[in-house]
Amino acid sequence: MPLHRVVGEVHEVRPYLVKYLKNRERYGMKVPAVNKNDAIRRVRMIEDNIEIIEVEEL
């Protein structure tokens, strides 16, 4: 898996599937992230006004 540098630290990046609601419709987005919180943060940077349902490591 690729590595991700965070302020001098190197972390392994894994794929996560983030399921969320936007305008009462269900969506899913696959993102590379260090952990579940990082995956949620990355999805929120792309989509706004969403409600997270589930985060699953692939």
Side-chain angles (χ1 to χ4, degrees):
M1 294 258 72
L3 299 175
H4 177 66
R5 183 173 295 278
V6 180
V7 193
E9 298 178 25
V10 177
H11 296 278
E12 185 178 342
V13 176
R14 288 167 276 167
Y16 283 87
L17 177 63
V18 181
K19 298 175 185 174
Y20 60 94
L21 288 175
K22 182 174 183 177
N23 298 328
R24 289 187 240 147
E25 291 190 37
R26 193 176 172 126
Y27 295 94
M29 186 181 296
K30 185 177 173 185
V31 292
V34 174
N35 56 35
K36 288 184 178 187
N37 290 335
D38 186 37
I40 291 170
R41 184 183 60 80
R42 289 176 189 243
V43 171
R44 287 192 192 273
M45 285 174 27
I46 298 167
E47 297 280 355
D48 58 333
N49 199 17
I50 63 172
E51 180 183 334
I52 303 296
I53 299 172
E54 181 184 0
V55 181
E56 176 182 319
E57 186 176 347
L58 300 178

